[in-house]
Amino acid sequence: MKDGLPIGYVSERTGLAVSAIRHYESEGLVKAWRNGGGQRRFERSDIRRLSFVMIAQKLGFSIAEIRTQLEVLPKGRTPTAGDWRRISEHFRAQLEARIDALTRLRDDLDGCIGCGCLSLEQCRLHNPGDRLAAQGPGPRSGPGRVVTDVQ
């Protein structure tokens, strides 16, 4: 299809609803153009881009993070395996960091079951490294206030 791919075909190939493709277009993840009849047309490489978006979202990456990575792909040519590998390496490093953080959290949880210390100074889950002390005296934790940078 040298005149571009219609949105229905892209939907069929990716399994995405047409509305989802329009949403991703509005987010700047793919860019369509209009043919003489005013219909959206996509590059064949947009099928792979949209598939990448779906996978990256399943891995927990935000639209903003995905957009940042897609912006490094070449314009005017289909991305090569090397182009995709560079993005994969970036995401792999982030996933490894998340896995390490979750492993530490799991291991700390094993030690905390039944601890009952009730000490925010000592609790490695709710106040790792006593980070809350840097915020000053008084209550720094509770509903809606969670230490999120577990190390």
Side-chain angles (χ1 to χ4, degrees):
M1 296 184 185
K2 81 175 191 183
D3 295 327
L5 305 175
I7 195 167
Y9 180 79
V10 174
S11 172
E12 182 181 310
R13 289 290 310 275
T14 61
L16 287 167
V18 168
S19 60
I21 296 169
R22 287 187 190 122
H23 171 71
Y24 291 141
E25 180 186 6
S26 74
E27 291 286 346
L29 302 177
V30 291
K31 183 171 174 52
W33 73 93
R34 303 284 179 161
N35 68 6
Q39 298 172 329
R40 280 181 174 87
R41 292 293 190 243
F42 293 88
E43 296 288 339
R44 184 166 296 284
S45 61
D46 287 331
I47 292 171
R48 182 160 292 176
R49 288 175 190 259
L50 290 168
S51 297
F52 167 76
V53 169
M54 291 186 299
I55 292 166
Q57 282 189 301
K58 285 180 183 177
L59 293 173
F61 293 99
S62 70
I63 293 289
E65 291 171 309
I66 296 166
R67 183 185 314 106
T68 298
Q69 290 306 306
L70 288 176
E71 287 172 352
V72 304
L73 290 176
K75 309 289 188 265
R77 74 167 169 81
T78 300
T80 64
D83 295 325
W84 288 111
R85 191 176 318 104
R86 281 186 286 284
I87 290 176
S88 170
E89 288 167 358
H90 173 80
F91 276 177
R92 181 176 288 115
Q94 288 188 25
L95 287 171
E96 288 295 333
R98 287 181 189 176
I99 290 168
D100 291 346
L102 285 170
T103 300
R104 284 191 306 275
L105 181 62
R106 182 206 57 214
D107 293 347
D108 287 346
L109 182 62
D110 288 348
C112 288
I113 298 295
C115 168
C117 71
L118 300 177
S119 169
L120 284 180
E121 289 180 10
Q122 295 177 6
C123 184
R124 292 170 36 190
L125 285 178
H126 293 290
N127 187 21
D130 197 19
R131 288 194 178 101
L132 294 176
Q135 298 177 17
R140 300 289 174 208
S141 185
R145 296 180 184 151
V146 178
V147 178
T148 57
D149 60 340
V150 176
Q151 296 287 328

